[in-house]
Amino acid sequence: MTTSAVRLDPYNYDFHEDPYPYYQRLRDEAPLYRNDELGFWALSRHADVLKGFRNSTTLSNKFGVSLDPASRGPHASKTMSFLAMDDPDHLRLRTLVSKGFTPRRIRELEPRVTEIANQHLDSMLEAAASGATVDYVDEFAGKLPMDVISELMGVPNADRAQVRAWADAVMHREDGVTDVPDSAIEASLNLIVYYQEMVKQRRTALTDDLTSALLEAEIDGDRLTDDEIIGFMFLMVIAGNETTTKLLANAAFWGHRNPDQLGPVFDDHERIPLWVEETLRYDTSSQILARTVVGELELYDTVLPDGDVVLLLPGSAHRDERVFQNPDDFVIGREIGSKLMSFGSGAHFCLGAHLARMEARVALAELFKRIRGYEVDEDNAVRVHSSNVRGFAHLPISVKVS
């Protein structure tokens, strides 16, 4: 193990503002880093993070993927579904869920995603037309992903704002508090109770939504239990909602910061997927994921004992100059391919990757059809404070409407 004066604290607000100088020092000075106070190891180099994602035997998911003590432990799968399981349980549940959550269902959802995007754009751009600053997160990026998930699941329109508010509260962290606050626990319980009622209703009368499809999913007589369905629905809220909201806002922020890169996207909307991919690399929503050592693991001449927590840092891996040329430059269209780990890698590769990419592509394409340009009010932008995701709680922008 390398010793270093650098300190990694995933709860520190200064780290949230800009983690990349910390990551640079970790990669150079402490590729295997130890924090005794918070009780974790961390891997920051691209090769090590990739190996970590692909080693689902020795680096286990069964206690969850968050450092937060309240989210860790043998019951993590209740709210994180198969993300907090190892095979064979992981494979069974993922295979059953995949019967309902199909690529075809995602493709067929695209016209509705376009409609929902335009509904939110209508109100945002109406406010922006008068020259007023609008909050891109409040009005658009924070609404669309949760509404799309609600659309998928069959949450009625009238309930979507409340469901969105609970989902936001689940993720918020107070400065210096190294655990899940009471408000987030309360919001989690509210969501679970709401989804329990939804599942109960579908048991009585099936509809054509994902909730019903999950109830009907079956392989050789094996079906999902209500708890398993609710766990997956909760996972969608956490993994599918927050990360896409952050992706949309991060794309807008770094596009604004790099007008030379964004200019060609205004002229050629076919470049929007490339903008999305570079955002996923340059400033990924999912920065930190936890694993638990099973047996023991030797890294950098150090033996990591059974039960220790290892943090994988894809946010750092994507800035590794051993893999990417000039990694601190935002370059739309650079070669990324399979080097991207925003959606993980290996057995736990994100089931919702197609949905996230489709949502981001549609959202940004619809926005760019309707505006000629935008400016971010950086002084009033507010970052989200979370131990694992990175993005904005508020991103005020002024818009030139087409």
Side-chain angles (χ1 to χ4, degrees), residues 210-232:
L210 177 60
T211 307
S212 301
L214 293 172
L215 280 165
E216 290 187 291
E218 183 240 330
I219 298 171
D220 298 331
D222 186 17
R223 289 177 178 270
L224 295 163
T225 66
D226 285 10
D227 282 351
E228 287 170 341
I229 292 169
I230 291 157
F232 176 68

Side-chain angles (χ1 to χ4, degrees), residues 174-234:
E174 301 298 332
D175 190 7
V177 177
T178 58
D179 205 349
V180 180
D182 290 343
S183 56
I185 292 168
E186 186 184 344
S188 301
L189 291 171
N190 284 330
L191 269 177
I192 288 167
V193 168
Y194 182 86
Y195 288 142
Q196 279 173 336
E197 188 55 38
M198 260 183 72
V199 170
K200 197 167 131 192
Q201 286 170 7
R202 296 306 186 280
R203 284 240 179 255
T204 313
L206 291 170
T207 56
D208 63 354
D209 53 32
L210 177 60
T211 307
S212 301
L214 293 172
L215 280 165
E216 290 187 291
E218 183 240 330
I219 298 171
D220 298 331
D222 186 17
R223 289 177 178 270
L224 295 163
T225 66
D226 285 10
D227 282 351
E228 287 170 341
I229 292 169
I230 291 157
F232 176 68
M233 291 164 87
F234 198 86

Side-chain angles (χ1 to χ4, degrees), residues 12 27 32 47 76 133 177 213 218 223 237 266 285 288 298 363 365 387:
N12 179 276
R27 290 192 304 272
L32 175 64
T133 300
V177 177
E218 183 240 330
R223 289 177 178 270
V237 169
F266 273 104
S285 312
I288 297 174
E298 188 171 335
S387 59

Side-chain angles (χ1 to χ4, degrees), residues 2-17:
T2 350
T3 53
S4 164
V6 65
R7 176 173 159 76
L8 173 66
D9 178 358
Y11 297 98
N12 179 276
Y13 272 29
D14 185 59
F15 171 73
H16 297 162
E17 289 300 324

Side-chain angles (χ1 to χ4, degrees), residues 33-329:
Y33 167 82
R34 175 69 187 168
N35 184 315
D36 283 323
E37 187 191 337
L38 292 173
F40 68 80
W41 303 88
L43 294 170
S44 49
R45 289 182 182 172
H46 191 282
D48 294 330
V49 175
L50 184 61
K51 242 181 253 170
F53 275 130
R54 291 183 174 175
N55 179 3
S56 52
T57 313
T58 314
L59 287 175
S60 165
N61 282 49
K62 68 184 173 188
F63 296 108
V65 297
S66 169
L67 186 62
D68 298 346
S71 303
R72 291 193 59 72
H75 306 299
S77 62
K78 285 203 183 304
T79 51
M80 293 307 277
S81 187
F82 51 74
L83 190 55
M85 292 179 183
D86 296 330
D87 288 337
D89 296 338
H90 159 259
L91 184 61
R92 172 198 163 259
L93 190 52
R94 187 182 172 112
T95 307
L96 274 166
V97 163
S98 298
K99 301 281 279 187
F101 193 71
T102 59
R104 180 181 169 187
R105 187 176 288 275
I106 303 309
R107 276 196 309 277
E108 289 174 352
L109 190 66
E110 186 166 329
R112 272 298 288 146
V113 175
T114 307
E115 279 178 40
I116 296 167
N118 275 301
Q119 283 165 13
H120 293 313
L121 284 172
D122 286 344
S123 52
M124 183 178 88
L125 296 179
E126 189 182 336
S130 62
T133 300
V134 289
D135 190 330
Y136 175 83
V137 174
D138 270 357
E139 300 296 328
F140 186 52
K143 287 182 173 177
L144 176 69
M146 192 61 225
D147 283 357
V148 169
I149 288 166
S150 289
E151 178 78 22
L152 251 179
M153 290 178 179
V155 173
N157 273 317
D159 295 349
R160 289 183 188 179
Q162 177 61 73
V163 168
R164 208 187 304 131
W166 285 331
D168 289 343
V170 168
M171 297 303 289
H172 182 72
R173 297 293 175 270
E174 301 298 332
D175 190 7
V177 177
T178 58
D179 205 349
V180 180
D182 290 343
S183 56
I185 292 168
E186 186 184 344
S188 301
L189 291 171
N190 284 330
L191 269 177
I192 288 167
V193 168
Y194 182 86
Y195 288 142
Q196 279 173 336
E197 188 55 38
M198 260 183 72
V199 170
K200 197 167 131 192
Q201 286 170 7
R202 296 306 186 280
R203 284 240 179 255
T204 313
L206 291 170
T207 56
D208 63 354
D209 53 32
L210 177 60
T211 307
S212 301
L214 293 172
L215 280 165
E216 290 187 291
E218 183 240 330
I219 298 171
D220 298 331
D222 186 17
R223 289 177 178 270
L224 295 163
T225 66
D226 285 10
D227 282 351
E228 287 170 341
I229 292 169
I230 291 157
F232 176 68
M233 291 164 87
F234 198 86
L235 174 64
M236 289 278 288
V237 169
I238 305 307
N241 166 41
E242 280 299 312
T243 49
T244 310
T245 288
K246 306 301 173 277
L247 166 58
L248 287 170
N250 290 345
F253 182 80
W254 294 112
H256 152 82
R257 273 280 185 94
N258 295 273
D260 61 315
Q261 293 295 313
L262 194 62
V265 182
F266 273 104
D267 299 328
D268 178 8
H269 293 177
E270 297 296 313
R271 293 185 65 77
I272 285 173
L274 299 175
W275 177 21
V276 171
E277 292 304 297
E278 177 63 348
T279 304
L280 286 166
R281 181 201 71 84
Y282 188 79
D283 199 18
T284 187
S285 312
S286 300
Q287 293 270 321
I288 297 174
L289 288 146
R291 296 290 189 265
T292 305
V293 177
V294 174
E296 59 180 40
L297 179 66
E298 188 171 335
L299 291 164
Y300 292 94
D301 301 322
T302 305
V303 174
L304 281 55
D306 182 74
D308 272 20
V309 176
V310 178
L311 300 186
L312 304 177
L313 309 178
S316 171
H318 292 154
R319 297 288 190 102
D320 191 343
E321 55 288 330
R322 294 159 192 80
V323 174
F324 296 102
Q325 196 171 4
N326 302 321
D328 293 328
D329 294 343

